[in-house]
Amino acid sequence: MLLEFRAEVRSDSDWSLFVRDSYNGLAGTLTYAPSYKRDGRTYAPDMASSDIPVPRLSSPWLGKPLHHVSARQRAHAKLPPVLVWICGLLIPYLEHSAGAGSKATTLQYETGSWFGRLLKRSVPSTIETEIVPMRQTLEHHDARPSLGGNTFIAIGLFALMNAGCGAQTGPAPISGDVLEAKGWRTEVVSGDLSHPWSITWLPDGAALVTERSGRLRLIRDGKLDPRPIAGLPPVLAHGQGGLLDVSLHPDFSQNQLVYLTLAIGTPEANRTALARGRLDGYTLQDTEVIFENADPKSGGQHFGSRMVWLSDKTLLMSVGDGGNPPISFEGENIRNQAQNPGTHFGAVLRLKDDGTPPPDNPFGSQPGARPEIWTIGHRNIQGMTLDPLSGRIWANEHASRGGDELNVIEGGNNYGWPEITYSYEYWGPRISDETSRHGIVDPKLVWTPSIAPSGLTVYTGNVYPEWQGNLFSGALKFQQIRRLVLDGTEVIGEEKLTIGQRVRDVRQGPDGYLYVLTDEDAGALLRILPSTDQE
């Protein structure tokens, strides 16, 4: 017995997206297989398919009538939803019981129909869940689907599996939607950036900006220099990977060293790496890769990566867990390596400025552990910052579906992923039944639904006095910045600043203003300005 549900999403562009979910009740597997098409060619994303064990079903009590009636005919006849569901779910059982063999049943609904609206209210996360992996892949191909226009979606068992999923509970506070902040506006400092990822400022006030495609750009006096900085190492721009974070050595004024995190290798075998070079005009001289993940992975997911300098001039660097199932490592899901200090996956590393591990790292004396590891149990940290007043290291972290985290990072700690999490699989059930455990650090805040957190900074300037000491986190999914009011390590207030574009990085500039990088084909550097309600 086979149930197969297909989704076709036709956007206003020339891309067509397809998601096929097949449930085999006899074998006890669910296959999730997305793809997309353009110009007659079919592309498969990084997560091309996934076979997931699920309960087996049998239908000895079901009879044989109606096996000649297709669910599509019933749907198009505008039968009540209950009958449509019955047809869509029972016909394959009936056909199997009648000896007709395995059949594929396709249900297709227009999202504007009353049934589509009912379904969306019942399982609002389903559409977003199915589109997010596609969107990540499409960005690499300079295109993105839209849910507007002529959109048709077929949803079956996949929707039913999601319908019962509510937010996990635990000791951490859970945040959803919040009120809009007042008294601010944005202005464009510079445009024409292609998926910018990170920004840092030179002592003369000019800014270095990374573009995920592999270019390092210079912005001076609000103008983007047309000449990219030369001398970078080879960059793998694939999926979420590419040229990522940029940071200056604490003694930059003496040594002119610029540090970069990046993806290297091939789509089939790649790693997160750390490079440095000496900035000389428009060139990085003596550039070298000084650290790379000890183990390669496949696909274009979960590279991390952010950097933070500590007061002793050692460097913290985040590395992602390697990706979602079915990406594997040594015969198991690669994400499980986040609990293995014998790999660099899913960890925060502490390095000396030459890329080697300090001798006092907390896992250095543990047999089999990588000496660079500072903390373990992370999925994909893409925001990390030092609070210069308290000395705390804050990090935000992508979960899967719901359960994004805000954490205080302290050496030697385990942050739980994937064994302890508030998150759900993209395709349905909880990833773990536990949200807290002795010896695992609880998050300071959990975002459900996921906001897809990005750049993170603590504001210490004087331009917005009421924001001093607050954390600001990018939110890619909702095109926002989240302002977090802190009392020590407790989040006591939260607002949103809706930017209207995907926010990749948030930083405080040397002039005391907050700056924002938008992760778009035509990305921009924005400045946040104080304003009155009348403006």
Side-chain angles (χ1 to χ4, degrees):
M1 182 273 298
L2 176 69
L3 289 170
E4 183 174 286
F5 302 93
R6 294 188 181 93
E8 179 178 353
V9 180
R10 302 185 185 94
S11 71
D12 294 330
S13 68
D14 53 353
W15 289 92
S16 294
L17 310 174
F18 300 86
V19 178
R20 189 179 71 253
D21 300 299
S22 302
Y23 174 74
N24 191 324
L26 297 181
T29 59
L30 174 74
T31 300
Y32 170 78
S35 62
Y36 57 96
K37 294 183 178 181
R38 186 182 190 186
D39 299 331
R41 297 180 63 189
T42 298
Y43 301 84
D46 302 320
M47 183 177 170
S49 65
S50 179
D51 288 330
I52 304 151
V54 294
R56 300 186 182 193
L57 295 178
S58 60
S59 56
W61 52 272
L62 290 174
K64 300 180 182 180
L66 298 180
H67 70 271
H68 62 284
V69 180
S70 74
R72 179 185 294 273
Q73 290 170 333
R74 294 262 175 176
H76 285 195
K78 298 184 178 179
L79 289 177
V82 172
L83 293 183
V84 174
W85 277 118
I86 291 174
C87 292
L89 295 178
L90 298 188
I91 285 173
Y93 286 92
L94 300 172
E95 290 174 335
H96 177 74
S97 299
S102 297
K103 295 286 185 179
T105 301
T106 300
L107 302 179
Q108 185 178 73
Y109 301 101
E110 186 172 357
T111 54
S113 69
W114 67 277
F115 177 67
R117 291 193 297 271
L118 175 65
L119 182 62
K120 189 171 183 179
R121 285 198 301 270
S122 301
V123 282
S125 65
T126 301
I127 296 174
E128 184 67 29
T129 297
E130 292 190 355
I131 297 303
V132 164
M134 314 294 289
R135 179 177 295 158
Q136 292 170 352
T137 301
L138 286 173
E139 285 175 352
H140 176 58
H141 292 277
D142 299 322
R144 184 177 304 158
S146 169
L147 289 181
N150 184 22
T151 303
F152 294 86
I153 296 186
I155 303 175
L157 183 63
F158 197 86
L160 288 178
M161 293 180 64
N162 283 274
C165 295
Q168 292 246 43
T169 58
I174 296 178
S175 172
D177 197 10
V178 293
L179 296 177
E180 188 76 32
K182 297 181 179 180
W184 65 279
R185 62 183 178 89
T186 61
E187 68 174 6
V188 177
V189 177
S190 180
D192 298 324
L193 293 164
S194 175
H195 294 283
W197 218 92
S198 178
I199 184 171
T200 193
W201 281 266
L202 300 171
D204 64 2
L208 293 175
V209 176
T210 58
E211 293 178 320
R212 197 175 64 218
S213 61
R215 296 188 299 181
L216 181 62
R217 310 300 299 275
L218 181 69
I219 298 176
R220 190 183 301 277
D221 298 326
K223 297 179 180 178
L224 178 65
D225 197 297
R227 297 168 292 179
I229 302 297
L232 273 67
V235 174
L236 172 67
H238 174 63
Q240 299 168 3
L243 186 59
L244 305 174
D245 207 7
V246 57
S247 185
L248 305 183
H249 191 282
D251 297 327
F252 177 84
S253 58
Q254 287 80 45
N255 59 29
Q256 289 77 52
L257 288 176
V258 176
Y259 287 71
L260 302 162
T261 61
L262 64 157
I264 62 173
T266 67
E268 297 75 28
N270 51 72
R271 312 166 194 252
T272 302
L274 174 68
R276 72 174 181 183
R278 180 173 51 83
L279 184 62
D280 181 10
Y282 288 90
T283 303
L284 286 182
Q285 303 283 1
D286 306 319
T287 305
E288 57 180 337
V289 173
I290 59 174
F291 170 82
E292 60 183 55
N293 192 332
D295 299 295
K297 68 176 190 66
S298 63
Q301 298 176 346
H302 302 184
F303 294 88
S305 169
R306 292 289 181 182
M307 295 180 282
V308 169
W309 291 97
L310 301 182
S311 59
D312 62 359
K313 298 181 184 179
T314 59
L315 179 69
L316 297 185
M317 169 186 170
S318 67
V319 178
D321 70 354
N324 300 313
I327 298 174
S328 64
F329 180 82
E330 294 186 350
E332 62 177 335
N333 288 334
I334 194 171
R335 70 184 183 190
N336 295 345
Q337 299 306 310
Q339 288 296 314
N340 178 11
T343 75
H344 294 123
F345 293 116
V348 173
L349 314 179
R350 176 171 171 254
L351 307 169
K352 295 194 291 186
D353 64 357
D354 63 357
T356 60
D360 59 344
N361 271 352
F363 290 85
S365 60
Q366 181 173 325
R370 295 288 177 182
E372 299 86 0
I373 290 183
W374 183 245
T375 61
I376 65 172
H378 304 285
R379 183 173 183 264
N380 198 25
I381 291 176
Q382 292 194 341
M384 189 163 63
T385 191
L386 168 70
D387 183 342
L389 301 179
S390 68
R392 297 186 186 97
I393 303 298
W394 291 89
N396 60 33
E397 182 168 340
H398 287 253
S400 182
R401 186 165 59 90
D404 293 347
E405 294 183 1
L406 177 72
N407 287 296
V408 173
I409 303 300
E410 296 178 342
N413 282 344
N414 183 345
Y415 291 82
W417 176 261
E419 294 183 0
I420 311 297
T421 178
Y422 289 73
S423 189
Y424 286 78
E425 300 284 8
Y426 284 120
W427 51 271
R430 295 177 177 180
I431 293 172
S432 170
D433 290 332
E434 297 181 84
T435 55
S436 187
R437 183 193 293 173
H438 178 72
I440 302 297
V441 179
D442 291 324
K444 302 304 180 184
L445 187 68
V446 170
W447 284 289
T448 298
S450 295
I451 66 170
S454 54
L456 187 69
T457 196
V458 176
Y459 184 71
T460 60
N462 297 315
V463 175
Y464 333 93
E466 67 280 11
W467 290 355
Q468 287 182 351
N470 295 172
L471 268 176
F472 289 82
S473 172
L476 288 159
K477 179 177 174 182
F478 294 119
Q479 303 182 342
Q480 301 169 352
I481 297 170
R482 292 294 180 101
R483 173 194 171 217
L484 305 170
V485 182
L486 304 176
D487 182 5
T489 61
E490 182 182 358
V491 178
I492 60 173
E494 184 176 8
E495 292 181 323
K496 64 185 177 185
L497 288 73
T498 300
I499 303 300
Q501 300 180 72
R502 287 164 54 84
V503 174
R504 174 56 71 182
D505 203 7
V506 184
R507 300 288 177 108
Q508 179 181 322
D511 55 4
Y513 286 92
L514 284 172
Y515 288 84
V516 181
L517 286 176
T518 63
D519 185 4
E520 305 286 345
D521 292 338
L525 174 63
L526 309 179
R527 181 188 291 122
I528 295 179
L529 301 175
S531 69
T532 64
D533 292 339
Q534 287 74 35
E535 288 185 275

